[in-house]
Amino acid sequence: SGDGKHINLRYGCGRIMGVLATDTVRIGRLIAKSQTFVLSMNQLSGALEHASYDGIMGLAQPSLAIHGTTPIFDNLNKNRIIPEPVFAFFISSWPQKSSLLMLGGVDHAYHKGALKWVLVTQAHLWQIAVDRISMNKKVIACSGGCQAILDVGSSFLFGPTDIVRSIQRSINPSPLQNEQQLILCNSTMTLPPVIFTINGMDFPMSRKYYIQKVSKDICFITFNGGTEYISPSETWVLGDIFLRAYFTVFDQSKNKIGLAPSV
């Protein structure tokens, strides 16, 4: 069924326009009855228009939902379809191993060592405080502390444009085709890890995560600018590049995030 209310939703990669509808939604063996969602009628984005997926399932905090609607995760939790208000992501680095979204619990076989917990600092988003970002024992960003949003909907790492440009130059002093993010793959072999220090704990991210292959010889630095449009203070978005390195648990009831190296 549908109530016909028109909706205009903006995403980082574009915008969709549609109407609200309500139906039963099934995810594996989990069934969410009377679930309201948006039926997209128009996508103002090439990324959304030609995407291989059929929809977007938002997992931000319920305070960010369209007024009067209940996100699917909260619907499942409210109706006790899941045992606890926890979800987790394992984003695979290997073609032969599938990525996983876990709803209502955690399979600890997908991470190494104990989960390290960090409190969420912002009510709407899965946002945390970061102490600093360093490389080669030198602070390269977030020198006075900053905020970071963990976002599985973002592919790369995003930060303030001027800081990101400085990081790109330090990684890649001789850019290809005058494009700072393009680098010869054979010159990346000795690059050190980028270390995110969060709540006094170090989370190193090796070059195999922040450098991506474009072709046989050309690689791509996955640091991108633009977060100055999100917040006037230094803010980072840690997308799939970071979440591929770290198995991530989102605990809604305790308002905290658990991180451990992925298997």
Side-chain angles (χ1 to χ4, degrees):
S1 67
D3 60 15
K5 182 180 179 182
H6 287 269
I7 295 297
N8 191 328
L9 277 178
R10 186 176 294 278
Y11 290 92
C13 60
R15 187 156 51 100
I16 66 169
M17 290 170 284
V19 294
L20 287 183
T22 301
D23 206 338
T24 297
V25 177
R26 184 190 298 269
I27 306 172
R29 289 177 292 178
L30 304 177
I31 299 172
K33 295 181 179 179
S34 301
Q35 179 61 51
T36 301
F37 53 91
V38 177
L39 286 173
S40 176
M41 313 299 284
N42 190 14
Q43 295 82 235
L44 300 180
S45 162
L48 293 171
E49 185 75 45
H50 304 293
S52 58
Y53 47 82
D54 298 311
I56 297 171
M57 186 171 77
L59 287 167
Q61 302 277 23
S63 55
L64 207 62
I66 296 168
H67 182 66
T69 65
T70 302
I72 189 166
F73 180 75
D74 299 271
N75 190 356
L76 292 169
N77 182 51
K78 183 177 70 175
N79 290 293
R80 299 185 178 181
I81 307 299
I82 54 176
E84 55 180 330
V86 168
F87 63 91
F89 277 99
F90 166 75
I91 301 181
S92 176
S93 296
W94 318 105
Q96 67 273 25
K97 198 165 193 174
S98 297
S99 297
L100 290 174
L101 164 63
M102 304 169 191
L103 295 168
V106 178
D107 185 342
H108 295 285
Y110 286 88
H111 67 83
K112 295 177 280 191
L115 289 163
K116 296 177 179 178
W117 293 95
V118 184
L119 290 176
V120 171
T121 58
Q122 217 264 27
H124 295 314
L125 302 164
W126 292 103
Q127 184 169 310
I128 59 174
V130 176
D131 303 335
R132 61 189 171 275
I133 303 170
S134 57
M135 179 186 271
N136 261 344
K137 298 182 180 179
K138 178 184 175 185
V139 175
I140 58 171
C142 194
S143 57
C146 61
Q147 295 288 302
I149 300 162
L150 277 75
D151 181 23
V152 75
S154 296
S155 299
F156 301 127
L157 302 165
F158 293 87
T161 300
D162 56 343
I163 296 174
V164 165
R165 282 177 179 160
S166 175
I167 293 170
Q168 289 171 348
R169 283 193 296 269
S170 66
I171 293 173
N172 188 19
S174 305
L176 298 174
Q177 303 162 19
N178 207 30
E179 173 51 65
Q180 194 67 55
Q181 285 180 278
L182 295 181
I183 185 171
L184 286 171
C185 295
N186 61 12
S187 68
T188 68
M189 300 303 173
T190 58
L191 286 173
V194 174
I195 299 172
F196 295 83
T197 303
I198 303 168
N199 197 26
M201 300 175 287
D202 287 345
F203 294 89
M205 190 176 62
S206 70
R207 64 172 180 82
K208 78 172 184 177
Y209 295 107
Y210 69 83
I211 300 292
Q212 299 284 296
K213 207 159 195 175
V214 175
S215 64
K216 181 184 175 184
D217 299 315
I218 298 175
C219 284
F220 176 79
I221 302 168
T222 58
F223 283 88
N224 293 265
T227 62
E228 61 271 21
Y229 301 108
I230 297 174
S231 170
S233 59
E234 185 177 347
T235 301
W236 286 79
V237 176
L238 307 183
D240 294 348
I241 297 299
F242 182 83
L243 300 176
R244 186 171 282 116
Y246 289 96
F247 179 86
T248 310
V249 180
F250 299 84
D251 188 328
Q252 195 180 83
S253 65
K254 295 177 182 174
N255 222 26
K256 62 182 184 177
I257 291 172
L259 296 166
S262 293
V263 293

